Amino acid sequence: MGVVTDPVPAVPIARLLAMAYRTLMDDLHDRLRERGWNDVRPAFGFVLLAARPEPTTATDIAALMGTTKQAASKLIDSMEGAGYVRRSVGSSDARRREVELSPRGRKLLLDVEVIYAELEAEWAAVIGERGVARLRSDLSKVVSDRHDGALPAVRPTW
């Protein structure tokens, strides 16, 4: 009688998504460095995306990042020192310090979007443009279904 082995299970989607995310982030940051963005840390992206539509606060960034307000303030200090964001007095409350994108932060986000388009084009060379469009559509449906029909804010996984 031979040795019985367990069948190799299919790679879970969660694991594949984690691998794909890590690959995309590594490629993004490599290409940012090639374009001269040498001081960009992965955590910056979450703040930039949160502040893109409208000013935000350190308290909101802390909640988004799952950190303390002090840790969020240190991150914002670093980003402000690098010229990606600026703080201003809130329009409705002088005690409220709003965080908004600077022109340099907006330029970085534009470069990120260009790089994402390049990376998606590379995926399309492998699985086809329809494959990429289908992947985007399917992921959007699955995620928005869990969040009352909307896509949630992008958050770190740590």
Side-chain angles (χ1 to χ4, degrees):
M1 199 176 237
V3 176
V4 178
T5 60
D6 292 333
V8 177
V11 178
I13 291 173
R15 196 169 301 143
L16 287 169
L17 288 171
M19 289 181 234
Y21 174 75
R22 185 73 262 149
T23 300
L24 287 169
M25 291 303 98
D26 289 348
D27 290 349
L28 168 66
H29 285 272
D30 287 346
R31 291 179 193 200
L32 285 171
R33 282 187 294 280
E34 289 169 5
R35 287 168 165 84
W37 298 102
N38 296 312
D39 59 350
V40 177
R41 296 187 350 228
F44 288 9
F46 300 105
V47 176
L48 293 170
L49 288 175
R52 180 166 55 184
E54 62 187 12
T56 189
T57 66
T59 301
D60 293 337
I61 296 298
L64 173 75
M65 302 290 286
T67 64
T68 65
K69 185 177 174 190
Q70 291 77 15
S73 290
K74 284 182 77 172
L75 176 60
I76 294 164
D77 288 344
S78 174
M79 293 180 70
E80 188 174 31
Y84 294 114
V85 298
R86 59 182 167 225
R87 287 189 171 114
S88 61
V89 176
S91 56
S92 61
D93 183 348
R95 296 169 297 171
R96 180 180 157 110
R97 300 267 301 168
E98 292 185 336
V99 178
E100 60 186 345
L101 294 183
S102 69
R104 185 168 193 243
R106 291 195 182 284
K107 171 70 173 113
L108 173 58
L109 279 179
L110 287 173
D111 279 358
V112 167
E113 298 301 332
V114 167
I115 292 168
Y116 279 156
E118 292 170 3
L119 294 171
E120 288 182 20
E122 291 170 17
W123 282 33
V126 176
I127 64 172
E129 287 184 26
R130 285 166 60 197
V132 171
R134 175 73 190 263
L135 180 61
R136 181 188 331 277
S137 175
D138 289 347
L139 289 172
S140 295
K141 286 177 190 174
V142 169
V143 173
S144 65
D145 183 66
R146 290 274 305 184
H147 296 277
D148 299 321
L151 293 175
V154 179
R155 306 170 49 107
T157 58
W158 53 69

